[in-house]
Amino acid sequence: MKHGKKYVESAKLIESSKLYDPDEAVKLALQTAKTKFDETLEVSVRLGVDPRQADQQVRGAVVLPNGTGKKVRVLVFAKGDQAKAAEEAGADYVGAEELVAKIQGENWFEFDVVVATPNMMGVVGRLGRVLGPKGLMPNPKSGTVTMDVAKAIAEIKAGKVEYRLDKSAIIHCPIGKKSFTAEQLTENFTTLMGAINRAKPAAAKGIYLRSVVLSSTMGPGIKVNPLKF
């Protein structure tokens, strides 16, 4: 694979065989984020679990102390008092069956997170085939199926991120932007890794954190020492 000049220059700053401490890795990731736009810093964590087994799934959500640096658009499926509470809490879109029709009929996806009250899940379930593959289906484990919609919206707007194991036993999750300070990113990084550690399934055997890699949107991967977490 051929890489651009900036990527090649950035790669020279990294020792490929070295496992960096988290704070070192963050500073290096900021150095290697050379594009003009505000790149996202993302963590990829490979876990020692079998994603094919139901009792070894790893999924949850955590509020990053310094946010994600991204403006998140929240859609809420609710009626009555919950719909009013969602609007007052700053939800971008609130509705019920009419939003289902809009998504199905217009292929409308102008939102980043979906929250629903439990009594609306029968309605939201009709969208399983379109929301599921995009990772947008509300889920009690991530706190997006709840009667307390105001709290859910506040947490999401404050920097709540969802982490979820993929078919390769890897979790990909953002921890902030290039415009953040190294201290803010390190704090977010540590908070995320703490949440993933606490989510370790009882059925998981052997080494849980197999590898941790940090990178910016256009930069090379930086290996982080899993033992530091």
Side-chain angles (χ1 to χ4, degrees):
M1 184 175 178
K2 190 175 181 181
H3 292 291
K5 184 181 176 182
K6 288 182 180 178
Y7 182 99
V8 173
E9 287 176 1
S10 295
K12 289 176 182 177
L13 300 172
I14 301 166
E15 292 181 45
S16 59
S17 59
K18 181 177 177 179
L19 294 177
Y20 290 87
D21 285 353
D23 55 341
E24 276 186 298
V26 165
K27 289 174 183 175
L28 199 50
L30 289 173
Q31 275 185 272
T32 57
K34 295 180 180 293
T35 60
K36 292 180 181 179
F37 69 90
D38 196 10
E39 294 185 51
T40 297
L41 270 69
E42 184 179 87
V43 177
S44 299
V45 186
R46 183 168 168 262
L47 300 179
V49 298
D50 185 350
R52 295 170 297 180
Q53 305 300 320
D55 60 355
Q56 293 188 44
Q57 293 300 309
V58 180
R59 181 176 185 176
V62 62
V63 178
L64 299 180
N66 301 296
T68 62
K70 179 184 177 183
K71 186 180 183 296
V72 183
R73 300 164 299 177
V74 182
L75 181 153
V76 179
F77 284 99
K79 289 183 176 180
D81 291 342
Q82 279 76 36
K84 185 179 178 181
E87 288 172 356
E88 290 175 351
D92 297 273
Y93 309 101
V94 182
E97 287 84 358
E98 73 278 9
L99 288 179
V100 173
K102 186 175 177 67
I103 291 168
Q104 288 177 328
E106 300 175 23
N107 199 29
W108 176 72
F109 290 100
E110 298 298 315
F111 49 88
D112 306 296
V113 181
V114 179
V115 174
T117 54
N119 60 338
M120 289 299 297
M121 285 308 291
V123 174
V124 181
R126 302 176 204 164
L127 298 170
R129 288 186 178 180
V130 290
L131 294 182
K134 293 179 180 290
L136 291 170
M137 196 68 184
N139 186 284
K141 288 185 178 179
S142 62
T144 47
V145 177
T146 176
M147 287 300 286
D148 195 347
V149 291
K151 181 184 176 184
I153 294 163
E155 288 182 342
I156 291 165
K157 295 282 187 180
K160 186 176 186 178
V161 293
E162 186 177 350
Y163 55 87
R164 185 179 186 180
L165 201 67
D166 68 13
K167 293 178 182 179
S168 305
I170 297 173
I171 288 173
H172 302 279
C173 202
I175 60 164
K177 295 284 189 177
K178 182 176 72 172
S179 54
F180 284 25
T181 65
E183 290 74 20
Q184 287 175 319
L185 290 164
T186 300
E187 190 178 5
N188 280 358
F189 193 1
T190 305
T191 300
L192 171 66
M193 294 306 298
I196 292 173
N197 263 326
R198 290 190 295 275
K200 181 181 179 180
K205 305 297 181 185
I207 298 171
Y208 180 56
L209 296 179
R210 292 289 178 88
S211 69
V212 181
V213 177
L214 175 66
S215 64
S216 62
T217 304
M218 303 299 289
I222 301 162
K223 296 176 185 175
V224 185
N225 188 351
L227 296 177
K228 295 296 179 178
F229 301 108

